[in-house]
Amino acid sequence: MLLTRHNLPKTIPDIAALDDLLCRPTQALIDDLARVDGDIMILGVAGKMGPTLAGLAKAAAPDRRVIGVARFSDAGVKDWLHARGVETINCDLMDETAIQALPKAPNIVFMAGRKFGAEGDLSLTWAMNAHVPALIAQAFPSSRIVAFSTGCIYPFVPVDGKGSGEDMAPNPPGEYAQSCVGRERMFEYFSRKFGTPGRLFRLNYAIDMRYGVLHDIALKVLTGTPIDLSIGHVNFIWQGDASSQALRCLAHCTAPTSPINVSGHEILAVRDLAARFGARFGRMPVLTGNEEPTAWLTDTSKAVELFGLPVVDTEQLIAWTADWVSRAMPSLGKPTKYEVRDGRY
């Protein structure tokens, strides 16, 4: 069944249903993938978002090879991918020789990177986020490369504006976000050198029932945990919509590569989101601190122009999240740390 705004479930009963929903393509995704030839290879597929993105690609292009590449420290991820028809290759992307042995797929989605624990080993963070992209860009000069980045590469902007546009110069706090600028610059440099088409996919907060800004806020409201309002405004997008837009970017690459902001089109107040969960749970949110006049926010006008509005809107995401959290369903146990202002993750 194709995914549309009109056939979304009222609730998501369990992880299997969540995975199925995340892997359900829209007609627009099928049409865009039909515009590009060749296999699709996903580098760093074993992360939070990679498996369902790979499953979505295979569902949208069932006659195409979809290849997931990672170290696969969790063997269960390989089994999950194989069950979806996705091929897998074990590869350490820090190993240049291993990278050179990978198939030269015409379409690459680069998802490898390091965020959580970045402050614990900054040299590793820089190696993963800047050195590895340079290796990949040199190994695949003739491929289309959609490289995952982050909206955190921007400076803070006023919360009463539209958010950062793609033409705003990166100037982020903290070495994690600085290393992500390094990742973009490596892909940009080699794209210019080799004429490699691509996109720099600046994603802000993908929402999955087990992870994301809404999950963090809902859980704190339910448990009475104080919610820091230092970052008082956010934007976010359903992970399925983000994955779909990443794959659709393969049909909208530029040479040289260029950035595109991907998130929800609304700027939402954390205070208001907490109140909406509080109303659903019958609990008064515990709020601390004061909203600053600036936050990490992106203007997604270009993405909306290319892809249309996300299929899943904010009201649906709140309803799904409230239901999931109230039933004590599984969490990845990885706070987004959206409220951090100094860039130290």
Side-chain angles (χ1 to χ4, degrees), residues 160-209:
D160 57 358
K162 294 182 178 179
S164 302
E166 288 88 349
D167 56 352
M168 179 175 286
N171 185 25
E175 285 202 50
Y176 159 69
Q178 292 165 13
S179 73
C180 294
V181 177
R183 172 170 52 209
E184 289 198 7
R185 294 303 187 211
M186 291 301 97
F187 280 116
E188 181 184 9
Y189 172 78
F190 289 107
S191 176
R192 291 184 182 278
K193 180 176 180 178
F194 299 128
T196 304
R199 280 287 192 172
L200 304 170
F201 194 76
R202 292 175 177 171
L203 175 62
N204 254 27
Y205 301 129
I207 298 292
D208 167 335
M209 295 302 96

Side-chain angles (χ1 to χ4, degrees), residues 18-36:
L18 173 61
D19 286 346
D20 286 344
L21 185 61
L22 288 168
C23 293
R24 192 188 304 174
T26 61
Q27 187 62 53
L29 171 59
I30 292 170
D31 293 344
D32 265 351
L33 286 183
R35 295 172 53 194
V36 296

Side-chain angles (χ1 to χ4, degrees), residues 62-74:
D63 297 330
R64 207 88 62 91
R65 287 181 73 202
V66 176
I67 306 162
V69 177
R71 288 176 297 176
F72 293 111
S73 52
D74 178 359

